[in-house]
Amino acid sequence: ALPVWACRLGGMRSRRAATPCIVVQTVLLAVAISIHWSPRPAILLAPPYLGFELLAYFAFDALAREASANAELRAVNEILADSSRIAERLRISRELHDVLGHHLTALSLNLEAALQRTEGEARQHAQVAQSLAKKLLGDVRDIAAAMQTQPCVDLPHALGSLVADAPR
């Protein structure tokens, strides 16, 4: 039962706090054995129990630390994945704005020049094309602005994943 109790201490108490507890309970076990039987069995049984308890404590403490480190790594991995998605979104919005925006602006200016030189049915088609180009340019700007103003990191989700596996 004492090594099982030492296992429960692993991950719950620091080494400075757990080691004296384990030593004290081993000494109490030795006293109980010496009262019940004699001092000789107490001297023979106490060191192996102390060794088993310390081994159990350190093994479960290492497991608890590893589980905590894994939980932190998973949380950091989620945050990095969010950051990379956001960076990619920002890159796409910049490219969308830079490439399409410049071409649509140039198209609109060329259509304006064409409107100045055309008459009749061709002028109506050029006006429709220019209005479509301006509308498309506005849509591109709106999409790029919307992609840039989205939140950087979902902070509640990130904090939740960081503390999800933390011991109470």
Side-chain angles (χ1 to χ4, degrees), residues 68 71-72 75-76 79 155-168:
S68 175
E72 286 179 23
V76 168
I79 292 170
L155 189 59
H157 178 69
L159 290 175
S161 63
L162 273 173
V163 298
D165 293 327
R168 293 178 191 245

Side-chain angles (χ1 to χ4, degrees), residues 21-118:
C21 291
I22 292 170
V23 170
V24 167
Q25 77 179 15
T26 304
V27 169
L28 291 175
L29 174 69
V31 169
I33 291 173
S34 65
I35 291 172
H36 186 58
W37 291 328
S38 68
R40 181 170 167 79
I43 293 172
L44 291 174
L45 289 175
Y49 264 98
L50 178 63
F52 286 138
E53 287 180 76
L54 288 174
L55 177 67
Y57 169 76
F58 287 120
F60 276 81
D61 186 54
L63 286 174
R65 288 174 192 247
E66 185 177 325
S68 175
N70 283 341
E72 286 179 23
L73 285 174
R74 282 193 304 271
V76 168
N77 191 23
E78 281 187 38
I79 292 170
L80 286 174
D82 283 347
S83 295
S84 67
R85 278 193 296 273
I86 291 165
E88 183 64 15
R89 223 181 249 153
L90 188 60
R91 184 190 66 78
I92 290 170
S93 71
R94 284 183 180 149
E95 275 189 37
L96 181 70
H97 182 267
D98 290 347
V99 174
L100 286 178
H102 292 304
H103 290 318
L104 287 171
T105 302
L107 177 64
S108 182
L109 290 173
N110 282 323
L111 287 170
E112 181 69 32
L115 276 172
Q116 300 299 323
R117 295 183 183 154
T118 58

